């Protein structure tokens, strides 16, 4: 499981993670584990899911309660005005009277006892599966926003570094122009690149603010900057290395499948219950009744106790019972098709997300090799510029290519990590322990 739901540990623990047994390194910078902790205590969607789980589990208890004894009390008081004629005379009286009764009823025969028990168990399981799905969606939402913020932050750092390099090239070109070593065209080209670089920086700064705002919406305000992904960091090892392996894991752990299965079980139990509405029912009934009308001239004080067996045989209910049965038949068929759809959709999602991981992994390796080549090409162009065989345009182009490959590499590495987490979410294998491993992949900012 991802979370522990133990109300006695307090609201934060009940809504969050098992923090008493796990510890993350203390840092002024917010790591992903801390982001999950913060969001678990304030995200309305997650808090609503926690309340919904408690409400949904009561449905099973209501089914179980329908088979237990019921006890009810009744009381009434009246003031009666009577004008009576008898064979021996007549009387006009106004008198009070009261009645009290107590009834206990125990169902003895319900043809859907087994169906109610199955439905109660399936309802409990469904409540837990729905909440677990909300937990997984919550973890995926927070972790995705966190990693998007880190990537935006890293992209800004790279653009700032490129901006500095372009500015240095501009200053160098300006000095050469003033010394009449390069033509004015080179200076104008360097100025244009500087303007473009500053525009890119403004866009990157806006992207960082957007990503930070999206994350802070879930976690609340936090200290900046955030950590960055280590250059040599690799995603946690996967429990399976093929689509077939992941499909097997999803078959055992996918919450989407568990939800569809429990809903199909509940629909089947509902159908059996509707069918039982046309069959006899028997209750053991005990009643104690006390009547007091002694204020009346011919009134009485009466107390009686009864115990007996009540049998109900439905005969005709205006077609409502048969209509409910037909509705239950259709709902059961609908649930079976929904289960089939969930299986097919899970299979498609797992296969697609596994391919996304393969693509991101391949891109990461390709961009790493490209970065080595781009840096070597940049060094060669800069040497040619110093020798007078290359123009400033060539140098700026080479620097831009190197910076772009570095940004592409960073994007691919974050994509690989995000896709790994999403695949594990879909398959139902994501656990809180894995986020402590993910936190170890980050470099903390220098204070």
């Amino acid at each position: 499981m991802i979370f522990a739901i133990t109300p006695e540990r307090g609201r934060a623990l009940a809504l969050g993670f098992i923090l008493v047994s796990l510890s993350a390194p203390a840092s002024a910078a917010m790591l992903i584990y801390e982001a999950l902790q913060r969001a678990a205590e304030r995200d309305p969607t997650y808090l609503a899911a926690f309340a919904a789980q408690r409400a949904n589990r009561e449905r099973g208890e209501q089914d179980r309660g329908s088979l237990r004894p019921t006890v009810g009390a009744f009381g009434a008081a009246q003031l009666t005005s009577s004008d009576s004629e008898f064979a021996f005379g007549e009387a006009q009286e106004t008198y009070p009277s009261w009645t009290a009764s107590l009834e206990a009823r125990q169902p003895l025969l319900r043809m859907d006892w087994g169906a109610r028990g199955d439905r109660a168990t399936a309802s409990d399981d469904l409540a837990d599966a729905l909440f677990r799905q909300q937990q997984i969606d919550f973890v995926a939402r927070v972790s995705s926003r966190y990693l998007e913020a880190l990537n935006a932050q890293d992209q800004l750092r790279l653009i700032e570094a490129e901006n500095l390099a372009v500015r240095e090239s501009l200053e160098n070109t300006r000095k050469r122009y003033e010394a009449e070593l390069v033509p004015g065209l080179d200076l104008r080209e360097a100025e244009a690149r500087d303007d473009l670089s500053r525009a890119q920086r403004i866009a990157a700064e806006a992207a960082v603010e957007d990503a930070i705002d999206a994350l802070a919406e879930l976690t609340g305000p936090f200290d900046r900057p955030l950590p960055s992904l280590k250059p040599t960091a690799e995603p946690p090892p996967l429990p399976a290395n093929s689509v077939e392996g992941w499909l097997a894991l999803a078959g055992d752990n996918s919450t989407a499948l568990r939800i569809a299965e429990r809903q199909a079980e509940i629909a089947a139990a509902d159908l059996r219950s509707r069918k039982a509405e046309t069959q006899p029912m028997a209750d053991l009934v005990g009643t104690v009744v006390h009547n007091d009308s002694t204020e009346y001239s011919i009134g009485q004080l009466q107390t009686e106790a009864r115990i007996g067996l009540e049998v109900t045989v439905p005969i005709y209910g205006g077609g409502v019972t048969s209509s409910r049965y037909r509705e239950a038949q259709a709902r059961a068929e609908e649930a079976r098709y929904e289960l089939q759809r969930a299986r097919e959709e899970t299979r498609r999602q797992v296969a697609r997300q596994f391919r996304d991981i393969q693509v991101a992994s391949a891109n990461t390796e390709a961009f790493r090799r490209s970065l080595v080549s781009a840096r070597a090409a940049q060094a060669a162009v800069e040497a040619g510029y110093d020798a007078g065989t290359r123009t400033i345009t060539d140098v700026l182009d080479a620097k831009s290519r190197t910076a772009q490959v570095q940004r592409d590499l960073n994007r691919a590495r974050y994509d690989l990590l995000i896709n790994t987490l999403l695949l594990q979410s879909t398959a139902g294998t994501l656990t809180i322990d894995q986020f402590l491993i993910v936190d170890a992949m980050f470099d903390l900012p220098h204070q």
Side-chain angles (χ1 to χ4, degrees):
M1 287 190 62
I2 297 179
F3 303 94
I5 308 304
T6 53
E8 64 275 11
R9 292 192 176 189
R11 181 180 179 189
L13 293 185
L15 299 178
F17 311 100
I18 310 176
L19 303 178
V20 294
S21 59
L22 299 175
S23 60
S27 170
M30 183 177 69
L31 294 166
I32 192 169
Y33 187 83
E34 182 185 350
L36 290 166
Q37 288 178 257
R38 289 178 175 227
E41 297 175 2
R42 58 175 285 125
D43 180 34
T45 302
Y46 182 59
L47 296 176
F50 183 63
Q53 186 211 24
R54 300 197 308 272
N56 290 336
R57 286 189 67 87
E58 295 301 325
R59 295 176 182 174
E61 185 60 25
Q62 292 163 17
D63 257 326
R64 296 184 188 94
S66 67
L67 302 177
R68 298 178 186 139
T70 58
V71 179
F74 170 80
Q78 303 91 24
L79 181 64
T80 305
S81 179
S82 173
D83 186 358
S84 305
E85 293 184 1
F86 308 99
F88 49 82
E90 59 182 34
Q92 292 182 339
E93 294 183 69
T94 298
Y95 62 91
S97 63
W98 61 276
T99 300
S101 65
L102 183 68
E103 180 186 275
R105 181 181 296 269
Q106 170 61 57
L108 291 181
L109 175 64
R110 296 289 188 273
M111 303 306 293
D112 64 341
W113 272 354
R116 295 189 190 197
D118 293 343
R119 185 168 56 204
T121 301
S123 294
D124 288 345
D125 293 344
L126 176 60
D128 293 342
L130 287 169
F131 183 54
R132 179 168 169 77
Q133 182 62 57
Q134 288 292 330
Q135 291 175 317
I136 289 175
D137 292 343
F138 163 78
V139 168
R141 184 169 64 254
V142 176
S143 57
S144 293
R145 290 193 187 186
Y146 182 87
L147 293 174
E148 287 292 344
L150 262 61
N151 180 60
Q153 182 179 264
D154 285 355
Q155 295 290 348
L156 175 58
R157 290 194 189 104
L158 291 172
I159 288 176
E160 287 175 338
E162 181 182 5
N163 182 252
L164 180 60
V166 170
R167 176 56 58 88
E168 290 175 350
S169 295
L170 172 59
E171 295 301 325
N172 180 268
T173 303
R174 182 175 287 116
K175 291 177 181 178
R176 291 192 174 207
Y177 172 74
E178 292 172 353
E180 299 183 352
L181 297 177
V182 296
L185 180 62
D186 279 11
L187 179 60
R188 288 192 292 272
E189 177 65 24
E191 291 173 338
R193 291 299 181 93
D194 183 61
D195 292 338
L196 177 60
S197 178
R198 280 185 286 144
Q200 290 175 337
R201 178 174 178 171
I202 293 172
E205 289 172 345
V208 169
E209 293 304 319
D210 289 343
I212 292 296
D213 289 345
L215 179 58
E217 180 185 347
L218 300 178
T219 65
F222 53 85
D223 293 332
R224 297 168 62 178
L226 292 170
S228 58
L229 198 58
K230 294 179 180 177
T232 58
E234 297 292 340
L238 299 177
N241 295 313
S242 65
V243 172
E244 291 72 20
W246 279 105
L247 289 175
L249 288 172
D252 295 334
N253 301 286
S254 170
T255 53
L257 293 182
R258 296 292 83 74
I259 290 171
E261 289 169 355
R262 298 297 87 79
Q263 289 173 333
E265 291 174 7
I266 291 173
D270 284 340
L271 178 59
R272 289 153 58 195
S273 287
R274 292 305 184 192
K275 184 176 182 180
E277 291 179 354
T278 65
Q279 299 170 332
M281 296 176 287
D283 293 342
L284 178 65
V285 183
T287 308
V288 177
V289 181
H290 181 80
N291 293 310
D292 187 347
S293 58
T294 54
E295 298 293 326
Y296 185 35
S297 58
I298 59 174
Q300 62 180 345
L301 179 64
Q302 180 187 29
T303 301
E304 64 179 22
R306 298 189 297 269
I307 186 169
L309 182 67
E310 290 187 6
V311 177
T312 303
V313 180
I315 296 177
Y316 180 67
V320 174
T321 302
S322 57
S323 175
R324 287 175 176 171
Y325 180 69
R326 292 192 299 271
E327 179 189 2
Q329 281 183 312
R331 296 297 182 193
E333 184 177 1
E334 177 189 17
R336 288 195 298 272
Y337 285 125
E338 282 296 319
L339 176 57
Q340 179 181 345
R341 180 200 60 78
R343 287 171 176 162
E344 293 174 353
E345 184 174 331
T346 299
R347 180 180 182 85
R348 177 183 59 80
Q349 287 182 338
V350 167
R352 176 179 57 79
Q353 289 172 345
F354 184 76
R355 288 193 293 268
D356 288 343
I357 289 178
Q358 291 179 313
V359 170
S361 179
N363 285 341
T364 298
E365 292 303 316
F367 287 132
R368 278 176 177 161
R369 291 192 295 270
S370 296
L371 183 59
V372 174
S373 300
R375 285 172 174 169
Q378 178 183 333
V381 170
E382 289 174 341
Y385 179 69
D386 291 337
T389 60
R390 292 297 187 98
T391 66
I392 188 61
T393 301
D394 297 330
V395 173
L396 294 173
D397 285 343
K399 288 183 176 181
S400 294
R401 281 195 297 271
T402 301
Q404 184 59 53
V405 172
Q406 181 67 69
R407 291 197 293 270
D408 290 342
L409 173 59
N410 276 22
R411 175 74 265 178
R413 296 177 70 230
Y414 280 108
D415 284 346
L416 178 58
L417 184 53
I418 292 174
N419 291 334
T420 299
L421 296 176
L422 290 178
L423 176 58
Q424 293 187 84
S425 296
T426 301
T429 62
L430 191 63
T431 65
I432 185 58
D433 293 340
Q434 291 170 313
F435 287 96
L436 293 177
I437 299 174
V438 170
D439 275 346
M441 299 170 59
F442 299 132
D443 272 329
L444 299 178
H446 298 294
Q447 299 300 322

